[in-house]
């Protein structure tokens, strides 16, 4: 009895198949580039997001992969396909091209803690919002010292946003009052009142002006007022 030759069935990669379908929906042509981008993003998602990725984050990951190979036109097409990225494509492209900073920033983008914004009073389209109301802090982090470290860790990754304008722009701040660790009616002396936090962030930017040789520093705008 002759046996039919054994044939192996190629193992399908659900992540890669899904990404290729997404690229097709973005009108990115099939080919080596699309295949390479879908493969690299699939590897990243399997390793760091085994439970799944929100579509908005996936759009940023795909656009970042295109930026990594200097295909900014393709990245712009991906960003332009969805909300909220289509409103501030140039700013997203600048940040996505800063590949060293992006992994640290992605969780804050996902939560909406950091996002581009518009302000009619700004001369340049260079406003970002830092929304502390959306920041999830553990009980251990709600200590003055840890809180200041957390704020600095976030803001340290944001300075690059204003390098292209030599420090000119706006940082809108929301939810500063929510970071006050003293919740009792009888208020004690703390360093986490909104005015203290605003002053601390202002000092961080002033220091960076010297470090980065900016001509100016971003204006801080309390959006809760």
């Amino acid at each position: 009895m002759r046996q039919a030759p054994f044939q192996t069935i190629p193992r399908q990669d659900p992540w890669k198949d899904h990404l290729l379908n997404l690229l097709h929906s973005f009108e990115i042509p099939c080919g080596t580039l699309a295949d390479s981008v879908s493969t690299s993003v699939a590897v990243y998602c399997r390793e760091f997001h085994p439970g799944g990725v929100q579509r908005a984050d996936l759009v940023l990951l795909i656009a970042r992969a295109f930026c990594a190979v200097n295909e900014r036109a393709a990245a712009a097409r991906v960003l332009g396909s969805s909300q909220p990225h289509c409103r501030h494509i140039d700013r997203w492209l600048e940040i996505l091209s800063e590949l060293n900073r992006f992994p640290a920033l992605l969780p804050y983008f996902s939560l909406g803690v950091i996002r581009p914004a518009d302000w009619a009073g700004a001369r340049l389209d260079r406003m970002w919002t830092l929304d502390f109301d959306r920041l999830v802090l553990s009980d251990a982090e709600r200590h003055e010292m840890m809180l200041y470290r957390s704020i600095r860790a976030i803001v340290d990754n944001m300075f690059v946003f204003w390098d292209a304008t030599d420090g000119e722009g706006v940082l809108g701040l929301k939810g500063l009052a929510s970071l006050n660790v003293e919740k009792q009616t009888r208020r004690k002396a703390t360093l986490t009142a909104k005015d203290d936090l605003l002053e601390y962030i202002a000092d961080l930017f002033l220091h960076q002006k010297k470090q980065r040789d900016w001509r100016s520093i971003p204006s801080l705008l309390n959006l809760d007022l």
Side-chain angles (χ1 to χ4, degrees):
M1 175 187 248
R2 296 183 61 186
Q3 292 183 340
F6 179 76
Q7 293 182 338
T8 59
I9 300 176
R11 185 172 65 88
Q12 290 185 323
D13 183 343
W15 265 118
K16 186 173 179 180
D17 292 343
H18 177 57
L19 289 162
L20 285 172
N21 288 333
L22 266 181
L23 292 178
H24 179 71
S25 71
F26 299 146
E27 299 183 355
I28 303 294
C30 297
T32 303
L33 179 60
D35 189 69
S36 298
V37 165
S38 59
T39 298
S40 64
V41 176
V43 169
Y44 181 91
C45 290
R46 282 198 303 270
E47 182 172 354
F48 296 104
H49 300 281
V53 183
Q54 296 181 22
R55 181 183 173 88
D57 293 342
L58 203 53
V59 167
L60 288 179
L61 288 169
I62 294 171
R64 176 182 182 255
F66 278 118
C67 286
V69 292
N70 202 29
E71 290 287 342
R72 288 172 66 95
R77 180 176 295 181
V78 172
L79 292 167
S81 68
S82 65
Q83 294 283 357
H85 311 105
C86 62
R87 294 184 58 195
H88 305 284
I89 291 178
D90 289 341
R91 270 185 280 170
W92 282 120
L93 285 175
E94 288 179 5
I95 302 311
L96 294 173
S97 298
E98 288 286 341
L99 303 183
N100 292 333
R101 297 288 181 178
F102 180 75
L105 288 165
L106 182 59
Y108 301 113
F109 292 149
S110 301
L111 295 171
V113 175
I114 298 174
R115 57 186 185 271
D118 297 303
W119 182 44
R123 290 198 308 111
L124 296 173
D125 182 28
R126 192 59 48 162
M127 180 177 177
W128 288 80
T129 296
L130 180 52
D131 190 346
F132 292 112
D133 279 332
R134 297 178 179 233
L135 188 63
V136 180
L137 296 173
S138 66
D139 290 339
E141 290 173 315
R142 287 194 172 277
H143 180 278
E144 287 183 6
M145 184 177 295
M146 291 302 297
L147 187 60
Y148 272 76
R149 286 182 181 176
S150 297
I151 292 173
R152 179 161 191 166
I154 297 172
V155 176
D156 276 349
N157 286 301
M158 296 183 69
F159 294 129
V160 68
F161 294 3
W162 294 278
D163 278 343
T165 56
D166 211 13
E168 186 173 353
V170 179
L171 173 61
L173 298 163
K174 288 179 62 66
L176 282 169
S178 67
L179 298 181
N180 193 348
V181 297
E182 182 52 62
K183 297 297 184 183
Q184 298 177 13
T185 303
R186 184 179 177 183
R187 187 170 177 179
K188 300 177 182 178
T190 74
L191 295 176
T192 59
K194 60 183 179 181
D195 291 342
D196 295 318
L197 295 173
L198 195 61
E199 183 178 351
Y200 175 67
I201 295 171
D203 286 342
L204 292 178
F205 274 97
L206 186 60
H207 179 70
Q208 284 298 309
K209 179 184 179 183
K210 300 174 183 177
Q211 291 287 100
R212 307 174 93 88
D213 197 27
W214 284 344
R215 287 181 300 174
S216 59
I217 57 175
S219 300
L220 300 184
L221 185 64
N222 189 347
L223 300 178
D224 294 325
L225 297 179

